[in-house]
């Protein structure tokens, strides 16, 4: 019996992204599709999301023309595929502060946002460094930071310090400091509500881009291989991968990376009328399938 | 940039850094405001970031004032100078407000001009190529599509055994 229905919602994609972005050191190995997505978790009288995508008004054109991002659709269009509207979202977990995960805050007027305090304070610290350190600021939009100020003043921003369990019933936040970013976190859903869940899901943010990060490319001899971008260290990324895998008792298919195109091979999904994929991971009692 | 005259190209090349510095100052101030608004650790009013922002702002302004502005770049420069005025107001307010160490500081006197400054910068960025509001290069989505041939994805079944 599942407490929550869970969907991965694609909201845009890049058709040709270098494989070396997904997998550290995978140079000269061509390109692959990179979906942009967020996760919807519905149940227990709540509707939550893991990340909210980017703000198309601010930089959609730059992304489209310079980096090949295609078919961005607004949350009202994307969420309608699972019968929801942005105003229905009550809670958002921001895995990290990159624009493509945090940039669309203003489209969710009723949500309370959770982010690691370290993610905020370390970005601010990085801003104080000399210009030659500007690589550390990549992917950060000043406008997103201004929107956070508004959230905080409205009492809708919760800065979390480390792990926090049962933020919603059966949903835990797990800090992953000094990994993809300084204050990344991942979200664990214990869909049976059990403390030692046999029905757990981990939503990895950008701690994992694809299944090779958890399995390598040799199934007979699996290994962890970090993502191609880390502000923190590859070592902590690998140790975090191990923690995530332990939470799902070794079933790497339950560690869900939204940038992984091949979720379609593991779970029921369909392409919507706007050409984006909706993938259904779990259905709570009484919830109709959105992909059937 | 094929349709740009030499003077405009020179303007772009000479002023990108100043633009980025000004953008960085807006980010720095916004970051301080987030810390103040959330009560996060490190939100002390004498945060060194405010001094860093002051210095960077002055460097940017000095450079922008020296700029030779061709006609094609005039709208850009005007918008950037409007941003300078707004961000200066935000910096002054930050010194006055964040420096008072008083609980419940009103952030509007900082936030309103800061937002205006950001809007002016955004407008400037739309008038000429080469000025971006977000540093996408090397970012998690910023790897532009290259010329290398696309390789078929390994089947998921190859990864799950």
């Amino acid at each position: 019996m599942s407490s929550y229905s869970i969907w991965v919602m694609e909201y845009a994609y890049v058709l040709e992204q270098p494989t070396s972005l997904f997998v550290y050191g995978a140079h000269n190995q061509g390109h692959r599709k990179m979906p942009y997505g967020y996760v919807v978790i519905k149940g227990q009288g709540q509707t939550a999301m893991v990340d909210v995508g980017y703000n198309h008004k601010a930089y959609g054109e730059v992304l489209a023309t310079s980096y090949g991002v295609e078919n961005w659709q607004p949350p009202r269009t994307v969420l309608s595929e699972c019968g929801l509207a942005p105003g229905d979202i009550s809670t958002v977990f921001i895995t990290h502060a990159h624009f493509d995960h945090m940039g669309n805050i203003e489209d969710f007027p009723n949500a309370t946002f959770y982010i690691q305090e370290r993610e905020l304070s370390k970005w601010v610290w990085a801003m104080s460094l000399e210009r030659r350190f500007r690589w550390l600021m990549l992917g950060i939009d000043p406008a997103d930071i201004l929107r956070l100020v508004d959230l905080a003043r409205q009492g809708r921003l919760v800065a979390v310090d480390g792990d926090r369990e049962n933020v919603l019933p059966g949903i835990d936040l797990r800090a992953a400091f000094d990994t993809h970013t300084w204050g990344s976190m991942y979200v664990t859903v214990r869909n049976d509500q059990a403390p030692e869940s046999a029905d757990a899901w981990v939503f990895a943010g950008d701690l994992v881009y694809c299944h090779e990060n958890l399995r390598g490319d040799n199934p007979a001899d699996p290994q962890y291989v970090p993502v191609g971008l880390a502000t923190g260290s590859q070592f902590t990324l690998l140790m975090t991968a191990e923690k995530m895998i332990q939470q799902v008792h070794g079933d790497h298919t339950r560690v869900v990376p939204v940038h992984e195109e091949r979720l379609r091979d593991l779970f029921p999904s369909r392409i919507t009328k706007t050409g984006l994929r909706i993938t259904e991971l779990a259905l709570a009692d009484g919830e109709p399938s959105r992909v059937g | 940039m094929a349709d740009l005259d030499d003077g405009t190209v020179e303007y772009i090349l000479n002023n990108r850094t100043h633009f980025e510095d000004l953008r960085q100052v807006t980010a720095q101030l916004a970051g301080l405001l987030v810390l103040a608004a959330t009560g996060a650790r490190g939100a002390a009013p004498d945060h060194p970031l405010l001094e860093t922002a002051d210095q960077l702002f002055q460097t940017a302004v000095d450079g922008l004032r020296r700029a030779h502005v061709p006609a094609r770049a005039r709208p850009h420069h005007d918008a950037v100078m409007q941003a300078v005025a707004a961000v200066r107001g935000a910096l002054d307010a930050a010194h006055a407000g964040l420096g008072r160490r008083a609980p419940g500081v009103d952030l509007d006197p900082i936030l309103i001009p800061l937002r205006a400054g950001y809007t002016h910068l955004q407008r400037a960025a739309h008038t000429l190529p080469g000025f971006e509001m977000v540093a996408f290069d090397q970012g998690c989505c910023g790897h532009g599509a290259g010329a290398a041939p696309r390789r078929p994805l390994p089947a998921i079944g190859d990864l799950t055994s």
Side-chain angles (χ1 to χ4, degrees):
Chain A
M1 193 159 69
S2 295
S3 297
Y4 295 101
S5 302
I6 306 173
W7 298 277
V8 177
M9 313 298 295
E10 184 180 38
Y11 70 85
Y13 49 74
V14 178
L15 285 175
E16 300 274 339
Q17 194 72 278
T19 299
S20 57
L21 174 67
F22 295 84
V23 182
Y24 181 80
H27 308 302
N28 302 311
Q29 293 186 23
H31 296 70
R32 62 176 62 173
K33 181 182 174 184
M34 182 181 199
Y36 284 27
Y38 33 69
V39 177
V40 174
I41 305 166
K42 181 186 174 194
Q44 305 287 303
Q46 304 273 348
T47 307
M49 287 176 64
V50 181
D51 296 326
V52 289
Y54 72 77
N55 185 316
H56 192 72
K57 289 191 291 293
Y59 28 69
E61 186 181 344
V62 175
L63 286 169
T65 56
S66 302
Y67 301 109
V69 180
E70 297 182 33
N71 199 18
W72 181 91
Q73 297 293 333
R76 68 176 180 279
T77 301
V78 174
L79 294 179
S80 69
E81 297 292 342
C82 52
L84 295 168
D88 298 330
I89 305 301
S90 54
T91 307
V92 172
F93 308 116
I94 298 293
T95 59
H96 63 294
H98 282 155
F99 75 97
D100 59 318
H101 294 258
M102 192 181 79
N104 216 17
I105 286 170
E106 64 190 4
D107 272 8
F108 298 91
N110 301 320
T112 296
F113 289 72
Y114 289 77
I115 189 170
Q116 288 290 328
E117 188 229 307
R118 183 180 171 84
E119 184 72 349
L120 300 177
S121 58
K122 290 295 281 187
W123 284 119
V124 174
W125 168 79
M127 291 171 195
S128 70
L129 300 178
E130 297 284 343
R131 179 176 164 78
R132 60 184 174 275
F133 288 101
R134 65 187 180 279
W135 182 85
L136 294 171
M137 287 296 297
L138 60 85
I140 295 296
D141 180 2
D144 290 345
I145 305 172
L146 285 169
R147 284 188 275 272
L148 285 181
V149 178
D150 287 332
L151 280 185
R153 296 202 310 170
Q154 295 162 17
R156 295 198 292 130
L157 180 65
V158 180
V160 181
D161 185 12
D163 292 350
R164 186 178 289 191
E165 296 188 349
N166 290 306
V167 174
L168 297 177
I171 298 181
D172 308 325
L173 307 181
R174 299 290 179 193
F177 294 159
D178 298 318
T179 53
H180 181 62
T181 62
W182 287 294
S184 284
M185 69 177 180
Y186 60 92
V187 179
T188 301
V189 177
R190 291 177 281 107
N191 218 2
D192 53 7
Q193 298 291 323
E196 295 298 321
S197 178
D199 187 12
W201 298 89
V202 168
F203 299 98
D206 281 359
L207 300 168
V208 176
Y209 279 149
C210 62
H211 286 289
E212 285 98 317
N213 300 132
L214 298 170
R215 300 286 286 168
D217 59 4
N218 179 3
D221 188 15
Q223 65 169 329
Y224 298 125
V225 183
V227 297
L229 174 68
T231 306
S233 87
Q234 306 293 0
F235 169 73
T236 47
L237 268 168
L238 293 196
M239 300 313 286
T240 301
E242 172 68 4
K243 283 183 186 172
M244 291 190 291
I245 285 291
Q246 285 180 356
Q247 294 211 340
V248 294
H249 307 293
D251 181 357
H252 74 280
T253 65
R254 281 175 171 260
V255 177
V256 180
V258 294
H259 291 306
E260 169 61 272
E261 167 69 358
R262 293 161 298 177
L263 292 179
R264 67 184 181 205
D265 298 338
L266 299 171
F267 307 105
S269 72
R270 67 176 167 85
I271 297 294
T272 68
K273 57 185 177 296
T274 55
L276 297 169
R277 185 173 296 278
I278 169 174
T279 304
E280 192 165 86
L281 306 186
L283 281 178
D285 290 347
E287 181 76 36
S289 173
R290 306 293 179 172
V291 302
Chain B
M1 292 198 210
D3 61 335
L4 299 177
D5 59 89
D6 290 350
T8 303
V9 171
E10 189 178 349
Y11 171 87
I12 293 170
L13 295 176
N14 288 341
N15 289 282
R16 283 173 76 156
T17 302
H18 307 317
F19 179 89
E20 288 170 11
D21 286 348
L22 205 51
R23 183 188 72 195
Q24 178 76 347
V25 172
T26 66
Q28 289 167 338
L29 278 174
L32 278 176
L33 292 183
V34 169
L35 294 186
T38 58
R41 286 195 306 265
D46 54 354
H47 198 288
L49 190 53
L50 195 51
E51 187 182 337
T52 304
D54 274 335
Q55 292 168 358
L56 197 58
F57 177 76
Q58 201 51 54
T59 303
V61 170
D62 289 347
L64 289 163
R65 282 191 178 139
R66 284 197 303 269
H68 172 69
V69 187
R72 172 74 172 81
R74 176 56 58 189
H76 182 274
H77 195 260
D78 289 348
V80 170
M81 293 314 288
Q82 287 177 295
V84 164
V87 174
R88 186 193 305 280
L91 272 171
D92 291 345
H95 280 290
L98 295 180
R100 275 192 281 118
R101 293 177 179 270
V105 166
D106 179 10
L107 298 181
D108 274 344
I110 312 168
L111 188 57
I112 291 170
L114 188 60
R115 210 178 264 133
Y118 181 88
T119 303
H120 291 310
L121 285 177
Q122 207 170 28
R123 191 159 48 85
H126 284 121
T127 64
L128 282 178
F131 299 93
E132 292 180 355
M133 293 305 293
V134 183
F136 291 119
D137 288 353
Q138 309 297 321
C140 42
C141 82
H143 294 248
R150 190 172 181 190
R151 214 165 88 153
L153 285 178
I156 197 76
D158 293 341
L159 304 171
T160 54
S161 60

